[in-house]
Amino acid sequence: LGQRKAVPGTISFLITGDEEGIAINGTQKMLAWAAAQGIQFDHCLVGEPTNPKVLGDMIKIGRRGSLNAHITVKGTQGHVAYPHLADNPVPKLLEILRRLDARELDQGNAHFQASNLEVVTVDVGNKASNVIPAEAYGRVNIRFNNEHTGADLAAWIEQVCHDVLDEMGGACDTVFEPSSEAFVSEPGAFTALIEDAITKKYGHAPELSTSGGTSDARFIKDYCTVVEFGLIGATMHKVDECIAVKDLEDLADIYFDIVSGYFAT
């Protein structure tokens, strides 16, 4: 281990659960608690698996935002042979989803790929072949860059629903899950320190990226500069999720160089 010596600073480890989904506990509450205690952070390195294929390929300097929208169009149930006595919500929902899907949200920018909206489910739950259903449900997810906010996109979805139903009649309910906002940590001294440690280990600089899903960095960025670098994510969430022991050892070496370089400067 070598000779121990004091460093001009401190290191804090934050290990929590509840990272996925709406994340009402975990990192959010821990950071709020730390702030209430007067604890401040200068920088944060998140050990999220950032590398797609080979360790040292990629650093995440930001993340896209995420918004889930639940759309339920109301109708009137009735017999298919007497459509004038019913109000079919399915064509209205399909038109709403068509208009949402048709819009090009943006073309991306220097730090982010283009935002994308995906229709993830359309459900009616109608098991009868001769019944017009009373309601139809759809859900979309938008992964968006820093040219948008969750609030702006939610307002747009609300407006599309209003326009379609104003033309076709009927009503709908829209529910939005709390969104995570897009953010980017502009490359600087902290990013360069991590790049240098990776280059020292592998002889090449990593890509600076904002690709992929969300992580707890979306909460940490409100408290300090945050960058993500960790293991290979090729098998994450799969049945055979695994890592190579050699990669774990190499990552420890890189982290050691990052910490050493950080306190040396």
Side-chain angles (χ1 to χ4, degrees):
L1 294 175
Q3 185 176 0
R4 295 177 182 271
K5 63 179 180 178
V7 295
T10 58
I11 301 173
S12 298
F13 288 93
L14 176 59
I15 303 174
T16 72
D18 197 30
E19 181 267 333
E20 302 272 354
I22 59 175
I24 60 174
N25 294 305
T27 298
Q28 283 202 94
K29 289 189 175 180
M30 289 296 296
L31 289 172
W33 173 87
Q37 305 304 309
I39 301 172
Q40 297 181 345
F41 307 100
D42 295 309
H43 297 89
C44 179
L45 175 60
V46 175
E48 185 81 12
T50 57
N51 295 281
K53 295 181 179 179
V54 179
L55 195 66
D57 273 351
M58 184 177 291
I59 296 173
K60 296 294 178 78
I61 60 169
R63 293 283 186 166
R64 294 193 294 169
S66 177
L67 176 67
N68 282 304
H70 304 259
I71 304 168
T72 303
V73 179
K74 308 291 186 177
T76 302
Q77 184 174 310
H79 197 294
V80 296
Y82 302 94
H84 58 290
L85 300 178
D87 181 16
N88 194 337
V90 178
K92 302 170 187 180
L93 175 64
L94 294 179
E95 178 60 17
I96 289 171
L97 297 178
R98 184 195 69 78
R99 294 189 190 186
L100 294 176
D101 186 61
R103 177 186 171 187
E104 180 183 63
L105 293 170
D106 56 72
Q107 295 183 337
N109 55 42
H111 288 306
F112 289 92
Q113 66 192 85
S115 302
N116 63 291
L117 177 147
E118 302 299 329
V119 178
V120 296
T121 190
V122 179
D123 298 305
V124 177
N126 185 7
K127 297 181 179 180
S129 62
N130 61 345
V131 175
I132 292 172
E135 63 180 34
Y137 165 79
R139 185 169 74 249
V140 302
N141 177 269
I142 305 177
R143 296 301 169 103
F144 57 94
N145 58 36
N146 59 351
E147 296 183 20
H148 309 274
T149 67
D152 292 341
L153 292 169
W156 164 61
I157 292 173
E158 291 269 21
Q159 187 61 52
V160 170
C161 292
H162 177 273
D163 292 344
V164 170
L165 297 178
D166 190 50
E167 297 169 12
M168 302 178 69
C172 79
D173 292 329
T174 52
V175 177
F176 301 95
E177 294 179 10
S179 66
S180 58
E181 299 298 327
F183 74 93
V184 63
S185 297
E186 291 291 342
F190 187 55
T191 310
L193 179 67
I194 301 171
E195 288 183 273
D196 290 345
I198 295 170
T199 302
K200 175 184 174 183
K201 186 69 175 179
Y202 296 110
H204 63 81
E207 176 187 355
L208 304 183
S209 174
T210 59
S211 62
T214 59
S215 75
D216 273 2
R218 68 190 191 273
F219 307 127
I220 300 167
K221 56 95 167 111
D222 294 329
Y223 295 83
C224 66
T225 298
V226 57
V227 177
E228 301 176 65
F229 178 70
L231 291 162
I232 299 169
T235 64
M236 59 182 171
H237 295 348
K238 294 185 177 181
V239 174
D240 62 344
E241 184 170 2
C242 60
I243 58 170
V245 173
K246 178 63 165 58
D247 287 341
L248 189 61
E249 294 170 344
D250 284 355
L251 184 66
D253 291 340
I254 293 170
Y255 281 176
F256 182 83
D257 283 343
I258 291 171
V259 172
S260 299
Y262 188 90
F263 289 111
T265 57

